[in-house]
Amino acid sequence: MPTPNHLAALRAAAAAATPGPWEHQTSNGWHRVGTTAATRGRRDGDVVANGAASPADMAYIAAANPAAIQELLADLDAKTARIDKLELLLAAERAARQFEIWPEWKRQIVERRRKAILKGEG
């Protein structure tokens, strides 16, 4: 899994990049990735990348535009939060099974914590 620093660098790079949408463009045998001209109010969009990259590489670069990266990062954040919640819930369930021999007041604390996690207050 990427480190927090790597994720922060991806977020910063996506925020600083030329806004999209991006598209793979060809003209007279040239390949480039640029912004969609119609969304930029000009005949030609901004060139994001050009050169000797293959058409497949250019299509990949266009697909990995800032919006796509930000969407992936948001999805990763949501899944990470869900995993964290499920791990807390699992720990609470394991604790509840182990603590059956505890006094009633201790079992009530565990049960309140489990319910809070289920409600999203955990």
Side-chain angles (χ1 to χ4, degrees):
M1 178 155 177
T3 66
N5 287 342
H6 185 224
L7 293 174
L10 282 172
R11 288 181 209 289
T18 301
W22 293 359
E23 61 185 15
H24 174 214
Q25 304 164 346
T26 60
S27 177
N28 299 324
W30 287 88
H31 292 273
R32 70 180 191 174
V33 172
T35 58
T36 305
T39 63
R40 306 296 288 173
R42 298 195 287 281
R43 186 172 170 192
D44 292 324
D46 295 327
V47 175
V48 176
N50 63 14
S54 71
D57 289 345
M58 288 295 194
Y60 176 77
I61 292 167
N65 65 71
I69 297 301
Q70 290 171 338
E71 184 178 336
L72 287 171
L73 290 168
D75 187 57
L76 178 62
D77 289 344
K79 288 180 176 160
T80 300
R82 176 77 175 141
I83 289 168
D84 290 346
K85 181 178 178 179
L86 290 171
E87 286 176 344
L88 281 172
L89 182 59
L90 179 60
E93 291 293 335
R94 285 179 178 160
R97 283 194 304 266
Q98 292 175 354
F99 300 146
E100 288 178 1
I101 60 172
W102 280 20
E104 181 63 26
W105 66 270
K106 285 186 179 180
R107 288 195 304 253
Q108 288 176 0
I109 291 171
V110 171
E111 183 62 19
R112 281 195 299 270
R113 179 70 176 136
R114 186 184 72 80
K115 287 179 181 178
I117 290 169
L118 288 171
K119 287 176 150 178
E121 300 169 359

